């Protein structure tokens, strides 16, 4: 079981897994909404994800049609993202995890929008756009 929370601890969640498949996302929206070069996201089956505290503290922002990002309304931490094109999954930012889970980084997505100053030298697969594989 993997546990996570927002900065102010108003929202807590758990993921019924021991290992997460992670991608680095360079899309412009992730960068703008995180203030970072890229975001580290885990693709999680919705049936394995549960908000255990503070579901009333969640607010949604539709960053593009069919893509909703859920934030804590107090500290604005990004909790998870859901998309219409992946009904079975959601994405969680790794920075919210309270535990140190096993992580398997599977690649870099949206490298077509990667900033020039950011370099990729790790040999992992790169995808010009969204990658929805394992």
């Amino acid at each position: 079981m993997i546990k996570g929370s927002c900065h102010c601890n108003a929202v807590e969640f758990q993921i019924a897994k021991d290992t997460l498949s992670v991608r680095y996302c360079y899309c412009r929206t992730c960068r703008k909404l995180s203030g970072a070069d890229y975001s580290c996201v885990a693709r999680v089956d919705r049936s394995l994800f549960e908000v255990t505290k503070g579901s009333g503290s969640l607010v949604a922002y539709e960053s593009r049609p069919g893509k909703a990002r859920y934030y804590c309304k107090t500290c604005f931490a990004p909790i998870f993202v859901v998309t219409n094109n992946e009904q079975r999954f959601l994405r969680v930012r790794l920075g919210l995890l309270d535990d140190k889970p096993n992580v398997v980084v599977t690649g870099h997505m949206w490298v077509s929008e990667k900033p020039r100053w950011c370099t990729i030298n790790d040999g992992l697969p790169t995808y010009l756009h969204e990658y929805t594989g394992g």
Side-chain angles (χ1 to χ4, degrees):
M1 187 71 62
I2 299 168
K3 295 183 179 186
S5 59
C6 66
H7 183 262
C8 71
N9 292 311
V11 178
E12 295 178 359
F13 61 88
Q14 64 185 24
I15 302 167
K17 279 186 94 167
D18 295 323
T19 302
L20 295 176
S21 175
V22 173
R23 290 167 200 83
Y24 300 132
C25 181
Y26 299 87
C27 79
R28 183 177 191 275
T29 305
C30 277
R31 290 187 296 108
K32 290 286 186 179
L33 294 174
S34 70
D37 296 352
Y38 59 90
S39 63
C40 300
V41 293
R43 185 173 174 246
V44 176
D45 192 301
R46 289 187 193 198
S47 68
L48 302 177
F49 180 87
E50 177 186 6
V51 174
T52 56
K53 175 185 168 190
S55 60
S57 292
L58 291 173
V59 294
Y61 169 66
E62 190 174 31
S63 59
R64 65 177 163 96
K67 187 171 193 170
R69 295 168 183 267
Y70 288 82
Y71 294 85
C72 170
K73 69 181 179 182
T74 303
C75 68
F76 305 107
I79 309 299
F80 62 93
V81 176
V82 295
T83 61
N84 287 347
N85 66 335
E86 281 192 292
Q87 295 289 316
R88 186 175 153 207
F89 298 96
L90 54 80
R91 293 200 178 129
V92 177
R93 301 275 176 93
L94 260 58
L96 298 174
L97 302 182
D98 297 326
D99 302 326
K100 296 179 181 178
N102 297 319
V103 169
V104 177
V105 180
T106 59
H108 303 266
M109 63 183 183
W110 284 103
V111 296
S112 61
E113 297 183 9
K114 179 182 70 62
R116 288 184 194 156
W117 65 82
C118 196
T119 58
I120 298 173
N121 296 316
D122 57 17
L124 291 170
T126 59
Y127 304 93
L128 289 179
H129 301 289
E130 187 171 27
Y131 174 68
T132 58

